[in-house]
Amino acid sequence: MEFAFTEEQAMIADTVRAFFAENATSARTRAAMKATGADAGFDRALWHAFASELGLAGVGLPEDHGGAGLGILELALVAEAAGAHVAAMPLLGLAMVGRAIAAGGSDVQKSEWLPGLANGDVIAAAAWGEGLHASGGLLSGTLSFVPHGGAADILLVYTGDDAWLVDLRGEGVVATNHVTMDQTRPLATIVLTEVGAEPLADGTAAMAAALAAGWLCLAAEALGGAQAALDRTVAYSRERVQFGRPIGSFQAYKHRLADMMIEIEQARSAVYWAACAIDEGSDEATLALHAAKAFCADTYHMCAGNMIQLHGGIGFTWEHDAHLYFKRARSIMSMLGDSQWHREQVARLILGAVA
């Protein structure tokens, strides 16, 4: 099989790479990390330019509700470019909630929420609510570790039986941000006290779409971050001189870079395979998603660790961006299922098919 981007996809990839390179700078990311309250870990100016000026928030949403009507492959291209710069914005929530409403929401729910998500006016987050109590359309309970939960306007909650949409701007909602390892994607605790919630028309379809989008978004972010870690390390290897030679000329150094490149190319294939499988409705989509999330997360973690080590002493400092990549890589490994869990799902799917 020969895979190639269409002209439109190549243009999207070029556009988002240029946008994040210009706007998601280290200085702006660090400023977002220092912010407090709802803006903690959130570059709102970056989000506004991303969503309103370029219209990129609607890439994976239906056209008749304000989106661009494109597929999840285009969403993956956006996530890859954002991950390459550790962008401090709630892309994961947008991907999960937007795709969930598009797949399982009623016509009224789509009309009410999708336009706001597509233009960036509505910030979304997703969570699992095993401890929530539902009674008469009201939800009560505590949700932990909600990505960008402190900034969210709408929350998608899956209780095991139903998928609910919760407007976080009303009464009975208390969101508390926490200082977490990855400050570019802060986690919040959200306490709901008899808050009105609306069940999605098809909760099963909604959560399947949310998980698919979440896994692919994280895998694509990991791919972009791993590639950036390699690119920055290669650039440093050409500039840093020891014993009268660029350090990149030493064999041991080159071997580490080669290992990173090989893993990244496999991760790239995994992301595009999963994205194409979803867009084409392939029976392999679930298998591909689990494989992509596990492999890309592990690859990013390895590349970010090598980035720190191959930069030597400066790589361990707060002033260098290497730690931003490592922290994002570590958080991706544990979000929406760790790599071991995803590999177990791959094994079950393969062994079940053989049996």
Side-chain angles (χ1 to χ4, degrees):
M1 170 181 166
E2 183 176 346
F3 174 82
F5 292 130
T6 64
E7 289 186 9
E8 184 180 45
Q9 290 166 345
M11 181 182 68
I12 291 172
D14 290 341
T15 299
V16 293
R17 280 196 292 263
F19 170 78
F20 284 112
E22 180 179 353
N23 295 282
T25 62
S26 174
R28 288 182 59 169
T29 297
R30 290 169 182 267
M33 290 164 57
K34 292 179 181 178
T36 58
D39 283 343
F42 185 9
D43 186 341
R44 286 191 181 268
L46 176 67
W47 182 254
H48 177 77
F50 169 82
S52 301
E53 296 177 15
L54 291 184
L56 291 172
V59 163
L61 300 179
E63 194 171 5
D64 53 352
H65 291 288
L70 300 176
I72 205 162
L73 175 57
E74 288 78 10
L75 178 61
L77 294 174
V78 173
E80 182 181 348
H85 295 274
V86 201
M89 62 184 206
L91 181 61
L92 178 62
L94 167 68
M96 295 184 69
V97 179
R99 298 284 293 191
I101 296 174
S106 65
D107 290 339
V108 173
Q109 290 167 337
K110 293 176 184 178
S111 298
E112 181 180 2
W113 293 109
L114 289 181
L117 290 171
N119 63 29
D121 288 343
V122 175
I123 308 302
W128 269 250
E130 291 85 354
L132 288 185
H133 173 68
S135 176
L138 300 177
L139 292 182
S140 297
T142 300
L143 300 165
S144 303
F145 310 116
V146 183
H148 277 109
D153 303 307
I154 180 178
L155 179 69
L156 172 68
V157 183
Y158 187 55
T159 60
D161 299 317
D162 297 292
W164 303 80
L165 289 176
V166 181
D167 190 337
L168 297 177
R169 296 168 294 191
E171 297 291 330
V173 178
V174 177
T176 305
N177 275 328
H178 302 290
V179 178
T180 50
M181 181 172 62
D182 179 10
Q183 293 171 272
T184 63
R185 184 182 277 141
L187 305 178
T189 295
I190 298 178
V191 179
L192 305 178
T193 304
E194 295 187 345
V195 177
E198 189 178 349
L200 282 157
D202 187 341
T204 301
M207 292 314 300
L211 282 173
W215 289 333
L216 189 70
C217 183
L218 291 175
E221 280 188 14
L223 169 61
Q227 183 66 62
L230 174 60
D231 292 343
R232 291 184 176 215
T233 306
V234 168
Y236 179 75
S237 74
R238 292 169 175 166
E239 298 169 358
R240 182 73 168 93
V241 175
Q242 284 188 340
F243 307 109
R245 297 168 55 187
I247 59 175
S249 66
F250 297 114
Q251 189 176 48
Y253 202 106
K254 289 190 286 187
H255 284 175
R256 296 279 287 275
L257 295 177
D259 290 342
M260 293 168 69
M261 184 192 72
I262 291 170
E263 295 294 307
I264 289 169
E265 289 307 309
Q266 293 181 82
R268 195 182 315 281
S269 296
V271 168
Y272 297 157
W273 171 40
C276 289
I278 295 171
D279 283 339
E280 295 171 4
S282 170
D283 293 338
E284 294 183 333
T286 303
L287 173 66
L289 280 166
H290 288 303
K293 172 58 168 67
F295 194 88
C296 293
D298 289 348
T299 296
Y300 191 9
H301 189 252
M302 182 272 283
C303 290
N306 278 339
M307 180 187 189
I308 291 175
Q309 294 179 23
L310 294 176
H311 273 77
I314 193 174
F316 289 84
T317 64
W318 179 258
E319 289 74 19
H320 198 276
D321 286 345
H323 71 96
L324 301 180
Y325 287 89
F326 185 81
K327 291 171 181 176
R328 174 64 70 88
R330 190 63 190 85
S331 71
I332 286 177
M333 287 187 76
S334 59
M335 294 188 76
L336 298 182
D338 61 19
S339 297
Q340 180 177 343
W341 181 83
H342 282 283
R343 285 192 291 268
E344 288 174 355
Q345 308 317 305
V346 171
R348 288 193 177 98
L349 289 167
I350 293 175
L351 294 176
V354 172

